Structure formats: structure tokens, C-alpha cells
Amino acid sequence: PRAPISLPNYILGDEARTTHYNASSTREEAAIDAKSLTAGDAAFILRRDYKWAYAIVVEKEEGENSRLVFMADKKNRKTFPESAWGKYIRVIKVDADELAKLEAESVPHTKIEETREETTKDG
């Protein structure tokens, strides 16, 4: 089995950068891409404010009623039936150069959380 798809420096709910998914994919292309996702994979899901947010697949049900369940943030799960995948899900697509850059900038998630908490307290 392959390693789960993820991106360094992202945590649940983070807004996607357009260079980290195919912003011009059609709904049909996006739905086909979403079929490759498995539990543990990260992807971007469309929020109510029409921004793409980093989320993790926590469950994939295949068959007549195929669906993907995402952990969207620490408290919320979002479930998408297969008919909605093309509209609400974008698979991570990053070229090798961009991935290397992200990995070079990478800091442990605990450090990211601490930095955000300090920023929130100060601001």
C-alpha cells in the first residue's frame, strides 16, 4: 500500500494554496481523482465560504452508496456521497519542486499549533 497523501505545514482547516491542487479541473476530473482517496489521505474540501480547506479522509465506503467522510477540523466531520465528489473535493497535486520547498520549510505540527495560539493571544 502507498503512503497516505499529505502536505507539510498544513493542519486541518487550513486554506488551500492554488498551487497545491488543480484549480482548473472539471467536476468530472475531480470526481475521478477523488476515487483514488483512501482513509488517511489528505485532500481539500469546499467550505461554505467557497474556500478550499485541508481535510483528512477518515472513512471511505465503497459500493452502491459510495461516500467519503472527512475530518474537516478538530470537531467537524463532513460526509460526501459519490455524486458530490466532483463539486466538493480536490485531490492534492503538487509538483516535485513545490513539495521539496514545502518540506524544506516544514516545522513540526506541534510548533505550528503553538505559533498559532501565540498569534491568537497577541492579536
Side-chain angles (χ1 to χ4, degrees):
R2 66 168 170 72
I5 298 167
S6 65
L7 281 176
N9 290 342
Y10 273 92
I11 61 170
L12 294 177
D14 279 355
E15 188 176 332
R17 293 186 219 156
T18 54
T19 54
H20 297 166
Y21 67 97
N22 184 351
S24 62
S25 67
T26 65
R27 286 186 181 185
E28 292 78 18
E29 292 166 336
I32 291 167
D33 288 344
K35 283 185 183 225
S36 69
L37 294 171
T38 60
D41 283 340
F44 297 109
I45 59 174
L46 192 61
R47 300 188 311 207
R48 286 191 183 128
D49 63 2
Y50 299 101
K51 292 180 180 172
W52 294 98
Y54 192 74
I56 305 287
V57 177
V58 292
E59 185 183 330
K60 181 177 186 178
E61 196 172 296
E62 297 185 78
E64 194 175 313
N65 296 314
S66 292
R67 66 191 182 102
L68 285 167
V69 180
F70 287 86
M71 186 59 108
D73 57 39
K74 288 181 181 176
K75 298 176 186 166
N76 296 306
R77 288 177 174 231
K78 303 283 184 200
T79 301
F80 299 101
E82 188 172 8
S83 60
W85 293 356
K87 181 175 181 181
Y88 294 103
I89 301 168
R90 291 296 178 272
V91 172
I92 292 168
K93 291 192 189 265
V94 179
D95 66 31
D97 290 341
E98 179 68 10
L99 186 57
K101 185 176 136 190
L102 287 170
E103 287 171 347
E105 297 170 351
S106 184
V107 293
H109 284 299
T110 53
K111 189 71 180 161
I112 292 172
E113 290 289 347
E114 290 168 11
T115 304
R116 289 194 179 153
E117 287 173 13
E118 288 169 15
T119 305
T120 307
K121 288 178 195 168
D122 295 340

